[in-house]
Structure formats: structure tokens, C-alpha cells
Amino acid sequence: MTYDVRPLNKSFKDGLQYVWDSTSLKVAEECYQKYYYKMIEGWDNPRKGHHLRFGMHYATALEHFHKHLALGMDRDEATEAVVLEALIDTWDRQGPEDTGAPWESGDPNKNRPNLIRSIIWYLDHFSDDPVSTVILADGKPAVEHSFTLEVNDGIYFAGHLDRLGEYSSKPYVTDNKTTGTTLSQHYFNQFSPDMQMSMYTFAGKAIFHIPVAGVMIDAAQIAVGFTRFERGFTFRTESQLNEWYDDTMYLIQDVRRATRERHFPKRLSACGNYGGCEFRAVCSRSPEVRKNFLEADFKQGWVWDPLQRR
Amino acid sequence: MSDLTELFARDPLQYEKQDLQQIIEEMRKKRGQFVLGNAKAGSLKPPASEKAKAVSSLKLDLDL
């Protein structure tokens, strides 16, 4: 028996998700009902899309910067290359004939000028960075690595590692985060335990066959008048990763069972997380009218697909 | 010499090399001001005083 899944998502086979990335795992971990709305029915909140877009352009610019440097470009040239790339990628055209217009995010913080500012300020802030890009055995820099990894009997992990960096003789997966909140130890505490950081460490070890110690997180606080940076680390021991793997496999099998049974219980304790779940207003309605509220506030179209390459 | 707002409003595929360098340079100057303690240095909005100056320079006599 197969189930009604939006047709474009290649991470599903026979109606069940078999390719998992940290985003879809995190959604499932938060709430099965949210997983149903987002991953199976493909409902997306258009008002939140700009956070994703800002973060992707920002991470891409920094990732490409390190790639240019590792391939021999000088700092100034590499800066100009990634700034121009970000400016072009945020110049929106509707078609080849369209002259285009700058991306308007509608957000006073995460917008196009602040994206460019954040890229340039980051590169200056970390201009004397002691972290070097790991060079792999084949001579290539360990940057921009999308992976699909079979882990267990037809289940795959997928994702994208920005870069492997070496700091104090230890290799780390590096990750860039953007946030509106003040950067403090409290901010970095959220990454342990954390699905994404465990997945990155696990994948870094499995793909590159080197003893990745954890993830080095360069966080950027984006405000109207400034971008501030802090670096934090999150570590994973071998036994922590083994425990995470077992827990994750259990979660995946349970979500697949829930999908087969078409029963997606709400996890009520998660409704208030991070300022409130985006579907809270929908779930608070009576089941027979929820679809109307979904259609009013969400768009059903593009679905997050772990197999989609950046 | 264009200002940043004007540069951001232009198609980046039409940029000259110096346009790009000017954006980077201006942003670096703003960072320098931020490092010195100006927490609004990175804003691309003109300060209120400049806005007021610009409005008064229009010398509008709307006579509504």
C-alpha cells in the first residue's frame, strides 16, 4: 500500500521516507503531526522562508570563500568573488527577459544589504583565523560536501557539510549559524544534545575516515545596525554517537510505522517551543476545519527534500 | 561615486569592478565604526538627522 506523498520528494519510496537529513529528523523528533504537515503534505509557511534563504546564501558564501582560498586565490580576490556571487544570487529575475530586482525579504534584520554586510564582516572578523581547511588524501580541500550514506537496510542519511576545519590539531565539521538572538554560552548550549550536530559529526567521520571531534559553530547575530560573531564548539564522543545512532534509528522506524498507520500524534509539550510551533494555530482548531486554516496561512508546494543538492 | 543604497539597487551583473570594491570598502568602514562602539554603524538606513535634513531641503510648500 502507498500513501499520498507530494510527488516531487525523492526521499520517499512507497510512501515512506527512506532518506533522512537532520532537518526532517528534527521535525519528526519535535512532533509527528508537524512531520505530517511539513514532510508528507508539504505545507510551508511563506512568512518564514526568508530565514532559510538568508542562511543558505550566507553559508554558501563562506563555504565558497574557503574553497577559493584552498585552491590558491588570494583573500581579496576570494572576498570579491563571494560577495559578487551573493549579490547576483539575491538579484531576483522572473525569466531571461526580466531585468530583475533585489530580493526583498521584508525583514529589518535578515535582508539583502545585511547579508552582504554579514559576509564581509565575517571575513574581516576571522581574518587571522587559526582554523585551516583540512586537505583530503586526494589533495582536494574538504569543503562543500553533499553526502548520501546508507546506514541500515535501505535507510540513508543525507546532508551537506560546509567544511572540515583543523583547530589545535583536531578536525571539526564547521557550521555557520545566523540568529537574531544575543550570542552567549546559553546560545551554544542548545547544540548539545542536538540532532544536526550529531549527524554532522557522524557523517564527517563516516565520509572522511578521520577522527572528527565535533562541530565548530561560527554564529552570527544579525541586527539592524550590526552583525556580531562568536565561535563555539560542540563535541561528541564515540559512545555518544553510538547512542545517537541507536536513538535515531528507533525514531526513523517509529515515524515510518506512524506513516504506515496514518496516525501522527501531536506532541503537545513541543507546541510552545521556540516561540511557538508554526502549526499551533492550526492544531488548536477542531479537526474538521484545520484544512481551511492551513490553506489560509500556508502554501502547499515545494517540499523539503533531503536528496536535494545545494 | 555611487552610494551604497544606489549600488544595491543596481543589477550586479552590470557592476564595474570598482562598484564591487566600493561596497566592500564601505562595509569595512561601517565595521570599523561598529568596533569603535557605534552599534548602528552597519545600518543602511540614513540616520534620522539626515532624513530630516533631506526633507527640509525639499522646501515643500504644500499649502494643504
Side-chain angles (χ1 to χ4, degrees), chain A residues 126-159:
Chain A
F126 289 106
S127 60
D128 296 320
D129 198 354
V131 176
S132 57
T133 300
V134 170
I135 303 297
L136 301 171
D138 62 4
K140 290 182 182 162
V143 288
E144 218 183 1
H145 197 97
S146 293
F147 65 89
T148 308
L149 199 64
E150 183 166 13
V151 284
N152 184 27
D153 198 20
I155 298 294
Y156 290 77
F157 286 166

Side-chain angles (χ1 to χ4, degrees), chain B:
Chain B
M1 193 68 122
S2 313
D3 71 9
L4 272 181
T5 310
E6 192 270 327
L7 281 170
F8 274 113
R10 272 171 41 197
D11 183 347
L13 288 177
Q14 309 298 324
Y15 280 178
E16 303 286 337
K17 191 173 175 67
Q18 61 262 32
D19 294 329
L20 187 61
Q21 288 172 335
Q22 190 189 337
I23 289 176
I24 294 170
E25 199 45 48
E26 294 288 332
M27 287 296 188
R28 283 181 170 152
K29 279 187 203 158
K30 286 175 178 291
R31 178 171 176 268
Q33 292 163 16
F34 170 67
V35 170
L36 291 174
N38 180 357
K40 292 179 182 172
S43 174
L44 252 66
K45 284 184 188 166
S49 57
E50 278 184 32
K51 269 194 242 172
K53 230 188 282 172
V55 171
S56 67
S57 73
L58 293 173
K59 296 194 174 74
L60 295 176
D61 183 10
L62 297 174
D63 196 22
L64 295 173

Side-chain angles (χ1 to χ4, degrees), chain A residues 199-218:
Chain A
M199 169 77 96
Y200 281 180
T201 311
F202 180 91
K205 282 186 166 193
I207 294 163
F208 299 115
H209 307 291
I210 51 177
V212 175
V215 183
M216 186 177 76
I217 302 154
D218 284 347

